[in-house]
Amino acid sequence: MPTYALAQLTALACNPAQMVDLAARTGYDQAGVRLLPVAPGAVAYNLMDDPALLRETLARMDDTGVKIFDLELIRIGEGFDVERYLPFFEVGARLGAQAVLVAGDDPDHARMVDHYAALCDAMQPYGLSADLEFMPWTAVRDLDTALHIVNAADRPNGGILVDALHFDRSNSRIEQLADIPAHWLHYAQICDGPAQRPTTNEGLIKAARSERLLPGEGAIDLKRLWQALPQDLPVSVEIPHDVRVAQMGVEAWARAALVAAKGQVEYL
């Protein structure tokens, strides 16, 4: 059976210590934390500059047994400088994290390969994998592009993150998953979405960050997708929905998300 991690985006208002407590109360094995924002001014919890919150998070991990699995996020743009992320890696090692979500924003793919390889090299001593997530509004638009970059970099801790929503919206194909070497797959993110896809980048971003559906509620063929992935692959439950979280409360939403995720992954 896979392990399940509560993704930060599912409960974005919770700081890392609260994420650990929430994951423990709602039945998750692990949690993910967002240390750097997706965009300037966006929500993130900079444990690199908050030693008190870092200590509290470590204490809650000890008390509950819930581990931190993944860290968010590092963006590779044209001016990428890996040195500025060393404190991020150090905190990740203290948390015992295993994976880092990486986004690619550089349209020059040759330069992105070089920067991605440098990132992998810098992360390796900290026991972290660099999991490149393809998203249709970024420079890594689909699975083919992610495969090219990770293959060209050829690093032992390189990886590809398959997010169910982005997989569906990028017109990637189930058959392509067989092209991903097993050692590049460290975890996958589950959610669902409606059959009608947004037609603009703005619409895609809004749906991804605040309007995802519980697994089984939408039109993504999650069971077929998970049949094509390793059976024991860790699952990150990433299902933000601003309206429904406000209505239900974050704890009820996190619990419902886990139940729905298991219903798709474990009953294939």
Side-chain angles (χ1 to χ4, degrees):
M1 287 293 184
T3 56
Y4 293 85
L6 176 63
Q8 179 75 80
L9 195 56
T10 304
L12 190 56
C14 295
N15 69 34
Q18 293 166 337
M19 285 292 293
V20 171
D21 277 341
L22 178 62
R25 291 196 306 271
T26 53
Y28 291 82
D29 308 290
Q30 301 162 321
V33 293
R34 179 167 292 182
L35 304 185
L36 293 173
V38 298
V43 174
Y45 302 95
N46 186 349
L47 293 181
M48 295 77 76
D49 295 328
D50 194 340
L53 182 55
L54 176 57
R55 287 193 300 270
E56 184 183 356
T57 303
L58 291 168
R60 300 312 302 143
M61 292 169 63
D62 287 341
D63 289 345
T64 64
V66 169
K67 299 178 180 180
I68 297 298
F69 180 79
D70 61 296
L71 309 176
E72 298 179 358
L73 55 76
I74 291 177
R75 290 191 172 278
I76 299 179
E78 57 185 80
F80 182 74
D81 177 9
V82 72
E83 295 295 322
R84 66 184 289 248
Y85 295 99
L86 294 180
F88 180 104
F89 306 149
E90 291 166 1
V91 165
R94 287 195 64 186
L95 292 170
Q98 299 179 47
V100 175
L101 191 157
V102 179
D105 290 332
D106 192 344
D108 184 332
H109 284 177
R111 182 171 56 202
M112 193 190 305
V113 167
D114 291 341
H115 284 154
Y116 177 74
L119 176 63
C120 289
D121 292 343
M123 290 168 59
Q124 191 167 15
Y126 299 92
L128 297 165
S129 61
D131 294 277
L132 185 62
E133 183 175 24
F134 54 98
M135 295 172 268
W137 62 86
T138 68
V140 185
R141 298 180 59 83
D142 51 29
L143 179 52
D144 275 340
T145 307
L147 284 165
H148 165 73
I149 291 167
V150 178
N151 184 61
D154 191 23
R155 292 300 192 270
N157 60 331
I160 290 178
L161 174 57
V162 177
D163 176 299
L165 190 73
H166 303 325
F167 182 88
D168 181 76
R169 277 27 181 174
S170 65
N171 293 315
S172 298
R173 305 183 313 280
I174 296 288
E175 294 75 21
Q176 293 174 282
L177 294 172
D179 297 331
I180 308 177
H183 65 276
W184 288 1
L185 289 168
H186 302 112
Y187 69 118
Q189 292 180 326
I190 195 167
C191 69
D192 212 335
Q196 186 170 358
R197 304 171 182 176
T199 57
T200 65
N201 284 347
E202 292 76 14
L204 288 165
I205 291 169
K206 185 175 188 294
R209 295 180 183 171
S210 61
E211 296 178 341
R212 299 191 188 206
L213 301 180
L214 296 175
E217 289 185 337
I220 300 174
D221 193 348
L222 294 172
K223 292 192 174 181
R224 186 163 172 249
L225 175 57
W226 250 261
Q227 283 175 332
L229 295 169
Q231 289 188 341
D232 59 350
L233 189 67
V235 179
S236 172
V237 181
E238 186 177 68
I239 315 176
H241 197 296
D242 291 352
V243 173
R244 294 172 73 179
V245 169
Q247 291 171 341
M248 294 176 60
V250 68
E251 186 164 333
W253 180 253
R255 187 173 284 110
L258 180 59
V259 170
K262 287 184 173 182
Q264 296 296 308
V265 174
E266 296 183 8
Y267 302 100
L268 299 176

